[in-house]
Amino acid sequence: MSVFQRILVAVDPGPARRSAVRLAGELAQLTNAEVRVVHVIATAASVAAVVPLEEDAEAKAVLDEALTVLRDQGVKAEGTLVRGLTTQVASAIAETAEEFAADLIVLSPHHRSSLEALFDPRVSDAVAHRTNTAILLAPEVRDED
């Protein structure tokens, strides 16, 4: 039995998602793993309103693109959309990993300054603090677009 049998890959609308999806697919091919793609449709809350940061159709397109790439690689893949506030994205990813019984979570890191990270921790860091599942950060390949 291989180490990684159930891989969760979290995607967002940014271009770095392509690296994460490709890496998850390559690992799944090597280990014959099953992959679940999760995309959190984030909303921001202020005192006056809750504002969606992404339209449902855009979120579905991000998810569908990832599933197409994985399936084209011959990987058994399914996907799920989850809703949450921006402050709940890491928890939503960790909860989805637990529900799926993932033994690996693949994420794309978001490169920011140390000051930005101090006030708003990276999702990847926050996920790591909410799960005991192994986490792999996929390096962003800049020439993908």
Side-chain angles (χ1 to χ4, degrees):
M1 183 163 119
S2 296
V3 175
F4 302 122
Q5 291 297 300
R6 298 175 71 79
I7 300 171
L8 179 81
V9 59
V11 296
D12 64 22
R17 74 181 183 274
R18 294 182 181 101
S19 295
V21 170
R22 187 176 56 248
L23 182 59
E26 289 170 357
L27 286 170
Q29 287 175 319
L30 290 172
T31 64
N32 200 28
E34 181 178 342
V35 176
R36 178 173 291 173
V37 179
V38 62
H39 176 51
V40 181
I41 305 171
T43 54
S46 69
V47 176
V50 174
V51 179
L53 300 178
E54 183 178 23
E55 297 295 324
D56 286 358
E58 293 169 323
K60 185 170 178 353
V62 167
L63 183 68
D64 288 347
E65 174 192 87
L67 290 171
T68 297
V69 168
L70 290 165
R71 291 173 181 156
D72 285 351
Q73 288 178 300
V75 172
K76 181 180 176 189
E78 61 181 47
T80 188
L81 294 171
V82 180
R83 294 184 186 280
L85 295 171
T86 54
T87 57
Q88 300 169 326
V89 171
S91 294
I93 293 168
E95 289 168 13
T96 302
E98 185 176 332
E99 291 165 8
F100 181 57
D103 43 30
L104 178 67
I105 301 171
V106 178
L107 301 164
S108 58
H110 294 96
H111 302 287
R112 299 174 302 161
S113 72
S114 297
L115 184 60
E116 288 174 309
L118 178 65
F119 291 106
D120 184 21
R122 293 180 180 138
V123 170
S124 55
D125 293 342
V127 171
H129 290 286
R130 287 174 172 79
T131 185
N132 290 324
T133 305
I135 295 177
L136 179 61
L137 298 181
E140 184 177 358
V141 178
R142 303 243 183 240
D143 61 349
E144 289 184 312
D145 291 336

